[in-house]
Amino acid sequence: MADQQPVFDYTSSAPWEQVIRSYGGSEQINEAIREMVASGKRKDECWEAIWDHEVRAFETDEGFRDEVREIYEAAGVNLLSVTPWTHESHVSERTGQRRDLSRWQARFDAADWLHKVTSPEDARQVARSDDVGIVLNTQNVGAAIDGSLDRIDVLYNEGVRIFQLTYNYQNMLGTGCNDPSEGGLSTFGRAAVDRINELGGVVDVSHCGKRTTLDTIEYSDEPVAVTHATCQSVSHHYRGKSDAELEALADAVGYVGIVTLPWFIAPGETQPTLDIFFEHLDYARSIVGADNIGIGTDFYPADAKFPSELLEYYKQHIIELGFDREKVEQRNIAAGIGDFKTYTDWPVIRAELGERFPSAQVEGILGENFLRFWERAV
């Protein structure tokens, strides 16, 4: 990251390599999971436990913190947007998200090179200093606030800056992309958008259904983001956006980031490459414009380092979150896409981007476009 250029990626998670190194390797983390299961833990509890283990190592072991920094340096990404996730089934999504937010705060407190980024100015400073910045997001405002608009303020106070209104299913704010109701932005959803706008947060409609997406773009006083999605005209999938949605986003000078998850950008293909990712990116450029597109790999489910002991659990988990059972069960997750096998392979995206897009556009796609959008949105 020596060029100090902002490189932004909506990753949804810390790289798997980070927690794996806290155990000493892939074999060791899988053995630890097997031992936890043998002792009576469920796989959802194991997921939470391994990340608690990583945080304790991050807090107490300077050598491990240096290893983690090397992961980000190898990837060449200095601004990541991550989602505080919840996996344990016996706690509410709101409680689980707060728990993961506390993990991130512990990491920020432990490393002087890892920063909670809460403004575009912070992001630019991080890039200039050659450190790593984290932009916290929530991928389900409805679950995160559990009926109370005041809890949007709580999330904002904890550093969350990107607020996705729904996940795949319907909540109190609107309708998700795989919900059969096809509803729009609710009255409560409008109040939530108003509050996010007032606070200076980014309204995100990546997982929202078509009607909710269009309603939100029209209703919001500030530009809206699709931080991580696909283009349905390239490969049809409900996690993509239609031309109508992209055109509305363009009219509102919004932003769209393209994912690298193969089952979204190339559904049905057995061995897709990054070619299809760049087709989606190019198509988005044709509608939204070269200054309003970027990268949101959302990569961790495809990372080849995904612990094998958690793969089947993870498939069931995302089915519960609103993804189609049949399609999920057919997925070959943890296989990467083309030469992008694990997160430290991120430079292959940057290299191919430079070959396929004009040099004048590359800097924007890598990060400047998102930062300029963020400046417009707040």
Coordinates of all heavy atoms in Angstrom, one line a residue, residues 225-304:
A225 N -26.6 4.2 -1.7 CA -25.6 3.3 -2.2 C -26.1 1.9 -2.4 O -27.0 1.5 -1.6 CB -24.4 3.2 -1.2
V226 N -25.6 1.2 -3.3 CA -25.7 -0.2 -3.5 C -24.2 -0.7 -3.3 O -23.5 -0.7 -4.3 CB -26.3 -0.6 -4.8 CG1 -26.2 -2.2 -5.0 CG2 -27.7 -0.1 -5.0
T227 N -23.8 -1.0 -2.1 CA -22.4 -1.2 -1.8 C -21.9 -2.5 -2.4 O -20.7 -2.7 -2.6 CB -22.2 -1.2 -0.3 OG1 -23.0 -2.2 0.3 CG2 -22.4 0.2 0.3
H228 N -22.8 -3.6 -2.5 CA -22.3 -4.9 -2.9 C -23.4 -5.6 -3.6 O -24.3 -6.2 -2.9 CB -21.7 -5.7 -1.7 CG -22.6 -5.9 -0.6 ND1 -23.2 -4.9 0.1 CD2 -23.1 -7.1 -0.1 CE1 -24.0 -5.4 1.1 NE2 -24.0 -6.7 1.0
A229 N -23.4 -5.7 -4.9 CA -24.5 -6.3 -5.6 C -24.0 -6.7 -7.0 O -22.8 -6.6 -7.3 CB -25.7 -5.4 -5.7
T230 N -24.9 -7.0 -7.9 CA -24.6 -7.4 -9.3 C -25.5 -6.7 -10.3 O -26.5 -6.0 -9.8 CB -24.7 -8.9 -9.5 OG1 -26.1 -9.3 -9.5 CG2 -24.0 -9.7 -8.4
C231 N -25.3 -7.0 -11.5 CA -26.2 -6.4 -12.6 C -27.0 -7.5 -13.2 O -26.5 -8.5 -13.8 CB -25.4 -5.7 -13.7 SG -24.3 -4.4 -13.1
Q232 N -28.3 -7.5 -13.0 CA -29.2 -8.6 -13.5 C -29.2 -8.8 -15.0 O -29.4 -9.9 -15.5 CB -30.6 -8.3 -13.0 CG -30.8 -8.5 -11.5 CD -32.2 -8.4 -11.0 OE1 -33.1 -7.9 -11.8 NE2 -32.5 -8.9 -9.9
S233 N -28.9 -7.7 -15.7 CA -28.8 -7.9 -17.2 C -27.6 -8.7 -17.6 O -27.6 -9.1 -18.8 CB -28.8 -6.5 -17.8 OG -30.1 -5.9 -17.7
V234 N -26.6 -8.8 -16.8 CA -25.4 -9.6 -17.1 C -25.7 -11.0 -16.8 O -25.5 -12.0 -17.6 CB -24.2 -9.1 -16.4 CG1 -23.0 -10.0 -16.8 CG2 -23.9 -7.7 -16.9
S235 N -26.1 -11.3 -15.5 CA -26.5 -12.6 -15.0 C -27.6 -12.4 -14.0 O -27.4 -11.8 -13.0 CB -25.3 -13.3 -14.3 OG -24.2 -13.4 -15.2
H236 N -28.7 -13.0 -14.3 CA -29.9 -12.8 -13.5 C -29.8 -13.5 -12.2 O -29.7 -14.7 -12.1 CB -31.2 -13.1 -14.2 CG -32.4 -12.7 -13.4 ND1 -32.9 -11.4 -13.5 CD2 -33.2 -13.3 -12.5 CE1 -33.9 -11.2 -12.7 NE2 -34.1 -12.4 -12.1
H237 N -29.9 -12.8 -11.1 CA -29.9 -13.3 -9.7 C -30.7 -12.3 -8.9 O -30.5 -11.1 -9.1 CB -28.5 -13.6 -9.2 CG -28.5 -14.4 -7.9 ND1 -28.8 -13.9 -6.7 CD2 -28.3 -15.7 -7.7 CE1 -28.8 -14.9 -5.8 NE2 -28.4 -16.0 -6.4
Y238 N -31.4 -12.7 -7.9 CA -32.2 -11.8 -7.1 C -31.3 -10.9 -6.3 O -31.7 -9.8 -5.8 CB -33.2 -12.5 -6.2 CG -32.6 -13.6 -5.3 CD1 -32.0 -13.3 -4.1 CD2 -32.8 -14.9 -5.6 CE1 -31.5 -14.3 -3.3 CE2 -32.3 -15.9 -4.8 CZ -31.7 -15.6 -3.6 OH -31.2 -16.6 -2.8
R239 N -30.0 -11.2 -6.1 CA -29.1 -10.3 -5.4 C -28.5 -9.2 -6.4 O -27.7 -8.4 -6.0 CB -27.9 -11.1 -4.8 CG -28.2 -11.6 -3.4 CD -28.2 -10.5 -2.4 NE -26.8 -10.1 -2.1 CZ -26.3 -8.9 -2.4 NH1 -27.0 -8.0 -3.1 NH2 -25.0 -8.7 -2.1
G240 N -29.0 -9.2 -7.6 CA -28.6 -8.2 -8.5 C -29.6 -7.0 -8.6 O -30.7 -7.1 -8.0
K241 N -29.2 -6.0 -9.3 CA -30.1 -4.9 -9.5 C -30.5 -4.8 -11.0 O -29.6 -5.0 -11.9 CB -29.4 -3.6 -9.1 CG -29.1 -3.5 -7.6 CD -30.3 -3.6 -6.8 CE -30.0 -3.6 -5.3 NZ -31.3 -3.8 -4.5
S242 N -31.7 -4.5 -11.2 CA -32.3 -4.3 -12.6 C -31.8 -3.0 -13.2 O -31.3 -2.1 -12.5 CB -33.8 -4.3 -12.5 OG -34.2 -3.2 -11.8
D243 N -32.0 -2.9 -14.5 CA -31.6 -1.7 -15.2 C -32.4 -0.5 -14.6 O -31.8 0.6 -14.5 CB -31.9 -1.8 -16.7 CG -30.9 -2.7 -17.4 OD1 -29.9 -3.2 -16.8 OD2 -31.0 -2.8 -18.6
A244 N -33.6 -0.7 -14.3 CA -34.5 0.3 -13.7 C -33.9 0.9 -12.4 O -33.8 2.1 -12.2 CB -35.9 -0.1 -13.5
E245 N -33.4 0.0 -11.6 CA -32.8 0.4 -10.3 C -31.5 1.1 -10.5 O -31.2 2.1 -9.9 CB -32.5 -0.9 -9.4 CG -33.8 -1.5 -8.9 CD -33.6 -2.9 -8.4 OE1 -33.6 -3.8 -9.2 OE2 -33.5 -3.0 -7.1
L246 N -30.6 0.6 -11.5 CA -29.4 1.2 -11.8 C -29.6 2.6 -12.4 O -28.9 3.6 -12.1 CB -28.5 0.4 -12.7 CG -28.0 -1.0 -12.1 CD1 -27.3 -1.8 -13.2 CD2 -27.1 -0.7 -10.9
E247 N -30.6 2.7 -13.2 CA -30.9 4.0 -13.8 C -31.4 5.0 -12.8 O -31.0 6.2 -12.8 CB -31.9 3.9 -14.9 CG -31.4 3.1 -16.2 CD -32.5 2.6 -17.1 OE1 -33.7 2.8 -16.7 OE2 -32.2 2.0 -18.1
A248 N -32.2 4.6 -11.9 CA -32.6 5.5 -10.8 C -31.4 5.9 -9.9 O -31.3 7.1 -9.5 CB -33.7 4.8 -9.9
L249 N -30.5 5.0 -9.7 CA -29.3 5.3 -8.9 C -28.5 6.3 -9.6 O -27.9 7.2 -9.0 CB -28.5 4.0 -8.7 CG -27.5 4.0 -7.5 CD1 -28.2 4.0 -6.2 CD2 -26.6 2.7 -7.6
A250 N -28.4 6.1 -10.9 CA -27.6 7.1 -11.7 C -28.2 8.5 -11.7 O -27.5 9.5 -11.5 CB -27.5 6.6 -13.2
D251 N -29.5 8.6 -11.8 CA -30.2 9.9 -11.7 C -30.0 10.6 -10.4 O -30.0 11.8 -10.3 CB -31.7 9.7 -12.0 CG -32.0 9.3 -13.4 OD1 -31.2 9.5 -14.3 OD2 -33.1 8.8 -13.6
A252 N -29.9 9.8 -9.3 CA -29.7 10.3 -8.0 C -28.2 10.5 -7.6 O -27.9 10.8 -6.5 CB -30.4 9.4 -7.0
V253 N -27.3 10.2 -8.6 CA -25.8 10.3 -8.4 C -25.4 9.4 -7.2 O -24.7 9.8 -6.3 CB -25.3 11.7 -8.2 CG1 -23.8 11.8 -8.5 CG2 -26.1 12.7 -9.1
G254 N -25.9 8.2 -7.2 CA -25.6 7.2 -6.2 C -24.3 6.4 -6.5 O -23.5 6.8 -7.4
Y255 N -24.2 5.3 -5.9 CA -22.9 4.5 -6.0 C -23.3 3.0 -6.0 O -24.2 2.6 -5.3 CB -22.0 4.8 -4.8 CG -20.8 3.8 -4.7 CD1 -19.7 4.1 -5.4 CD2 -20.9 2.7 -3.9 CE1 -18.6 3.2 -5.2 CE2 -19.8 1.8 -3.7 CZ -18.7 2.1 -4.4 OH -17.6 1.3 -4.3
V256 N -22.6 2.2 -6.8 CA -22.8 0.8 -6.9 C -21.4 0.1 -6.8 O -20.5 0.4 -7.6 CB -23.6 0.3 -8.1 CG1 -22.9 0.7 -9.4 CG2 -23.9 -1.2 -8.0
G257 N -21.3 -0.9 -5.9 CA -20.1 -1.7 -5.9 C -20.5 -3.2 -6.3 O -21.5 -3.6 -6.0
I258 N -19.6 -3.8 -7.0 CA -19.8 -5.1 -7.6 C -19.1 -6.2 -6.7 O -18.0 -6.1 -6.4 CB -19.4 -5.2 -9.0 CG1 -20.1 -4.2 -9.9 CG2 -19.6 -6.6 -9.6 CD1 -21.6 -4.3 -10.0
V259 N -19.9 -7.3 -6.5 CA -19.3 -8.4 -5.7 C -18.5 -9.4 -6.6 O -18.6 -9.3 -7.8 CB -20.5 -9.2 -5.0 CG1 -21.3 -8.3 -4.1 CG2 -21.3 -10.0 -6.0
T260 N -17.7 -10.2 -5.9 CA -17.0 -11.2 -6.6 C -17.5 -12.6 -6.3 O -16.9 -13.6 -6.7 CB -15.5 -11.2 -6.3 OG1 -15.3 -11.3 -4.9 CG2 -14.9 -9.9 -6.7
L261 N -18.6 -12.7 -5.6 CA -19.1 -14.1 -5.2 C -19.6 -14.8 -6.5 O -20.6 -14.3 -7.1 CB -20.2 -13.9 -4.2 CG -19.8 -13.4 -2.9 CD1 -21.0 -13.3 -1.9 CD2 -18.7 -14.2 -2.2
P262 N -19.1 -15.9 -6.8 CA -19.4 -16.5 -8.1 C -20.9 -16.9 -8.3 O -21.4 -16.9 -9.4 CB -18.5 -17.8 -8.2 CG -18.0 -18.0 -6.8 CD -18.0 -16.7 -6.1
W263 N -21.5 -17.4 -7.2 CA -22.9 -17.8 -7.3 C -23.9 -16.7 -7.6 O -25.0 -16.9 -8.0 CB -23.3 -18.6 -6.1 CG -22.9 -18.0 -4.8 CD1 -23.5 -17.1 -4.1 CD2 -21.7 -18.3 -4.1 NE1 -22.8 -16.8 -2.9 CE2 -21.7 -17.5 -2.9 CE3 -20.6 -19.2 -4.3 CZ2 -20.7 -17.6 -2.0 CZ3 -19.6 -19.3 -3.4 CH2 -19.6 -18.5 -2.2
F264 N -23.4 -15.4 -7.3 CA -24.3 -14.3 -7.6 C -24.0 -13.7 -9.0 O -24.9 -13.3 -9.7 CB -24.0 -13.1 -6.6 CG -24.5 -13.5 -5.2 CD1 -24.0 -12.8 -4.1 CD2 -25.5 -14.4 -5.0 CE1 -24.4 -13.1 -2.8 CE2 -25.9 -14.7 -3.7 CZ -25.4 -14.0 -2.6
I265 N -22.7 -13.6 -9.4 CA -22.3 -13.0 -10.6 C -22.3 -14.0 -11.8 O -22.4 -13.5 -13.0 CB -21.0 -12.2 -10.6 CG1 -19.8 -13.2 -10.2 CG2 -21.1 -11.1 -9.6 CD1 -18.5 -12.5 -10.2
A266 N -22.3 -15.3 -11.5 CA -22.3 -16.3 -12.6 C -23.1 -17.5 -12.1 O -22.6 -18.6 -12.1 CB -20.9 -16.7 -12.9
P267 N -24.4 -17.3 -11.8 CA -25.2 -18.4 -11.3 C -25.2 -19.6 -12.3 O -25.5 -19.3 -13.5 CB -26.6 -17.8 -11.1 CG -26.6 -16.6 -11.9 CD -25.2 -16.1 -11.9
G268 N -25.0 -20.8 -11.9 CA -25.1 -21.9 -12.8 C -23.7 -22.3 -13.4 O -23.6 -23.4 -13.9
E269 N -22.8 -21.4 -13.4 CA -21.5 -21.7 -14.0 C -20.6 -22.5 -13.0 O -20.5 -22.1 -11.8 CB -20.8 -20.4 -14.5 CG -21.5 -19.8 -15.6 CD -20.6 -18.6 -16.2 OE1 -19.4 -18.8 -16.1 OE2 -21.2 -17.7 -16.8
T270 N -19.9 -23.5 -13.5 CA -19.1 -24.3 -12.6 C -17.7 -23.8 -12.3 O -17.2 -24.0 -11.2 CB -19.0 -25.8 -13.2 OG1 -18.4 -25.7 -14.5 CG2 -20.4 -26.4 -13.2
Q271 N -17.1 -23.1 -13.2 CA -15.8 -22.6 -13.0 C -15.7 -21.2 -13.6 O -14.9 -20.9 -14.5 CB -14.7 -23.5 -13.7 CG -14.6 -24.8 -13.0 CD -13.5 -25.7 -13.6 OE1 -13.4 -25.8 -14.8 NE2 -12.6 -26.2 -12.7
P272 N -16.4 -20.2 -13.0 CA -16.3 -18.9 -13.5 C -15.0 -18.2 -13.2 O -14.3 -18.7 -12.2 CB -17.5 -18.2 -12.8 CG -17.6 -19.0 -11.5 CD -17.3 -20.4 -11.9
T273 N -14.6 -17.2 -13.9 CA -13.4 -16.5 -13.7 C -13.7 -15.1 -13.4 O -14.9 -14.7 -13.4 CB -12.4 -16.6 -14.9 OG1 -13.0 -15.8 -16.0 CG2 -12.2 -18.0 -15.3
L274 N -12.7 -14.3 -13.1 CA -12.9 -12.8 -12.9 C -13.4 -12.1 -14.1 O -13.9 -11.0 -14.0 CB -11.6 -12.2 -12.4 CG -11.3 -12.5 -10.9 CD1 -9.9 -11.9 -10.6 CD2 -12.3 -11.9 -10.0
D275 N -13.4 -12.7 -15.3 CA -14.0 -12.1 -16.5 C -15.4 -11.7 -16.2 O -15.8 -10.6 -16.6 CB -13.9 -13.1 -17.7 CG -12.5 -13.3 -18.2 OD1 -11.6 -12.5 -17.8 OD2 -12.4 -14.3 -19.0
I276 N -16.2 -12.5 -15.5 CA -17.6 -12.2 -15.3 C -17.8 -11.0 -14.3 O -18.7 -10.2 -14.5 CB -18.4 -13.4 -14.9 CG1 -19.9 -13.1 -14.9 CG2 -17.9 -13.9 -13.5 CD1 -20.5 -12.9 -16.2
F277 N -16.9 -11.0 -13.4 CA -16.9 -9.8 -12.5 C -16.7 -8.5 -13.2 O -17.4 -7.5 -13.0 CB -15.8 -10.0 -11.4 CG -15.4 -8.7 -10.7 CD1 -16.3 -8.2 -9.7 CD2 -14.3 -8.0 -11.0 CE1 -16.0 -7.0 -9.1 CE2 -13.9 -6.8 -10.3 CZ -14.8 -6.3 -9.3
F278 N -15.7 -8.5 -14.2 CA -15.5 -7.3 -14.9 C -16.6 -7.0 -15.9 O -16.8 -5.8 -16.2 CB -14.1 -7.4 -15.6 CG -13.0 -7.2 -14.7 CD1 -12.2 -8.3 -14.2 CD2 -12.7 -6.0 -14.1 CE1 -11.2 -8.2 -13.3 CE2 -11.6 -5.8 -13.2 CZ -10.9 -6.9 -12.8
E279 N -17.3 -8.0 -16.4 CA -18.5 -7.8 -17.2 C -19.5 -7.0 -16.4 O -20.2 -6.1 -16.9 CB -19.1 -9.1 -17.7 CG -18.3 -9.7 -18.8 CD -19.0 -11.0 -19.3 OE1 -20.2 -11.0 -19.5 OE2 -18.3 -12.0 -19.6
H280 N -19.8 -7.4 -15.2 CA -20.7 -6.7 -14.3 C -20.3 -5.3 -14.0 O -21.1 -4.3 -14.1 CB -20.9 -7.5 -13.0 CG -21.7 -8.7 -13.0 ND1 -23.1 -8.7 -12.8 CD2 -21.4 -10.0 -13.3 CE1 -23.6 -9.9 -13.0 NE2 -22.6 -10.7 -13.2
L281 N -19.0 -5.1 -13.7 CA -18.4 -3.8 -13.5 C -18.6 -2.9 -14.7 O -19.0 -1.7 -14.6 CB -17.0 -3.9 -13.0 CG -16.3 -2.7 -12.4 CD1 -17.0 -2.3 -11.1 CD2 -14.8 -2.9 -12.2
D282 N -18.3 -3.4 -15.8 CA -18.4 -2.6 -17.1 C -19.9 -2.3 -17.4 O -20.2 -1.2 -17.8 CB -17.8 -3.4 -18.2 CG -17.7 -2.6 -19.5 OD1 -17.3 -1.4 -19.4 OD2 -18.1 -3.1 -20.6
Y283 N -20.8 -3.2 -17.1 CA -22.2 -2.9 -17.4 C -22.7 -1.8 -16.4 O -23.4 -0.9 -16.8 CB -23.0 -4.2 -17.2 CG -24.4 -4.0 -17.7 CD1 -24.7 -4.2 -19.1 CD2 -25.4 -3.7 -16.8 CE1 -26.0 -4.0 -19.5 CE2 -26.7 -3.5 -17.3 CZ -27.0 -3.6 -18.6 OH -28.3 -3.4 -19.1
A284 N -22.3 -1.9 -15.2 CA -22.6 -0.9 -14.2 C -22.1 0.5 -14.7 O -22.8 1.5 -14.6 CB -22.1 -1.2 -12.8
R285 N -20.9 0.5 -15.2 CA -20.3 1.7 -15.7 C -21.2 2.3 -16.8 O -21.4 3.5 -16.9 CB -18.9 1.5 -16.2 CG -18.3 2.7 -16.9 CD -16.8 2.4 -17.3 NE -16.7 1.3 -18.3 CZ -15.6 1.1 -18.9 NH1 -14.4 1.8 -18.6 NH2 -15.5 0.1 -19.8
S286 N -21.7 1.4 -17.7 CA -22.5 1.9 -18.8 C -23.8 2.6 -18.4 O -24.3 3.4 -19.2 CB -22.8 0.7 -19.8 OG -23.8 -0.1 -19.2
I287 N -24.3 2.3 -17.2 CA -25.5 2.9 -16.8 C -25.3 4.0 -15.7 O -25.8 5.1 -15.8 CB -26.5 1.8 -16.2 CG1 -26.9 0.9 -17.4 CG2 -27.7 2.5 -15.6 CD1 -27.9 -0.2 -17.0
V288 N -24.5 3.6 -14.7 CA -24.3 4.5 -13.5 C -23.2 5.5 -13.8 O -23.2 6.6 -13.2 CB -24.0 3.7 -12.3 CG1 -23.9 4.6 -11.0 CG2 -25.2 2.7 -12.0
G289 N -22.2 5.1 -14.7 CA -21.1 6.0 -15.0 C -19.9 5.6 -14.3 O -19.9 5.0 -13.2
A290 N -18.7 5.9 -14.9 CA -17.4 5.4 -14.4 C -17.1 6.1 -13.1 O -16.3 5.5 -12.3 CB -16.3 5.8 -15.5
D291 N -17.7 7.2 -12.8 CA -17.3 7.9 -11.5 C -18.2 7.4 -10.3 O -18.0 7.9 -9.2 CB -17.5 9.4 -11.6 CG -16.6 10.0 -12.6 OD1 -15.5 9.4 -12.8 OD2 -16.9 11.1 -13.1
N292 N -19.1 6.4 -10.6 CA -20.0 6.0 -9.5 C -20.0 4.5 -9.3 O -21.0 4.0 -8.7 CB -21.4 6.5 -9.8 CG -21.5 8.0 -10.0 OD1 -21.0 8.8 -9.1 ND2 -22.0 8.5 -11.1
I293 N -18.9 3.8 -9.7 CA -18.8 2.4 -9.5 C -17.6 2.1 -8.7 O -16.7 2.8 -8.6 CB -18.8 1.6 -10.8 CG1 -17.6 2.1 -11.7 CG2 -20.1 1.8 -11.6 CD1 -17.3 1.3 -12.9
G294 N -17.6 0.9 -8.1 CA -16.5 0.5 -7.3 C -16.6 -1.0 -7.0 O -17.2 -1.8 -7.7
I295 N -15.9 -1.5 -6.0 CA -15.7 -2.9 -5.7 C -16.2 -3.2 -4.3 O -15.8 -2.5 -3.3 CB -14.2 -3.3 -5.8 CG1 -13.7 -3.0 -7.2 CG2 -14.0 -4.7 -5.4 CD1 -12.2 -3.1 -7.4
G296 N -17.0 -4.2 -4.2 CA -17.5 -4.7 -2.9 C -17.5 -6.2 -2.9 O -18.5 -6.8 -3.1
T297 N -16.3 -6.8 -2.8 CA -16.2 -8.2 -3.1 C -17.1 -9.1 -2.2 O -17.5 -10.1 -2.7 CB -14.7 -8.7 -2.8 OG1 -14.4 -8.5 -1.4 CG2 -13.7 -7.9 -3.7
D298 N -17.4 -8.7 -1.0 CA -18.2 -9.5 -0.1 C -17.7 -11.0 -0.1 O -18.4 -12.0 -0.1 CB -19.7 -9.6 -0.7 CG -20.7 -10.0 0.3 OD1 -20.4 -10.0 1.5 OD2 -21.9 -10.3 -0.2
F299 N -16.3 -11.1 0.0 CA -15.7 -12.3 -0.5 C -15.6 -13.4 0.5 O -15.4 -14.6 0.1 CB -14.2 -11.9 -0.9 CG -13.4 -13.0 -1.5 CD1 -13.8 -13.6 -2.7 CD2 -12.3 -13.6 -0.9 CE1 -13.1 -14.6 -3.3 CE2 -11.6 -14.6 -1.5 CZ -12.0 -15.1 -2.7
Y300 N -15.8 -13.2 1.8 CA -15.3 -14.2 2.7 C -16.0 -15.6 2.5 O -15.4 -16.6 2.8 CB -15.5 -13.8 4.2 CG -16.9 -13.8 4.8 CD1 -17.2 -14.9 5.5 CD2 -17.8 -12.8 4.6 CE1 -18.5 -15.0 6.1 CE2 -19.1 -12.9 5.1 CZ -19.4 -14.0 5.8 OH -20.7 -14.1 6.4
P301 N -17.3 -15.7 2.0 CA -17.9 -17.0 1.8 C -17.2 -17.8 0.7 O -17.3 -19.0 0.7 CB -19.3 -16.7 1.5 CG -19.6 -15.3 1.9 CD -18.3 -14.6 1.8
A302 N -16.5 -17.1 -0.2 CA -15.9 -17.7 -1.3 C -14.4 -18.0 -1.1 O -13.7 -18.7 -1.8 CB -16.0 -16.9 -2.6
D303 N -13.9 -17.5 0.0 CA -12.4 -17.6 0.3 C -12.0 -19.1 0.5 O -12.7 -19.8 1.3 CB -12.1 -16.8 1.6 CG -10.7 -16.5 1.8 OD1 -9.9 -17.5 1.6 OD2 -10.3 -15.4 2.2
A304 N -11.0 -19.5 -0.2 CA -10.6 -20.9 -0.1 C -10.1 -21.3 1.2 O -9.9 -22.5 1.5 CB -9.5 -21.1 -1.2

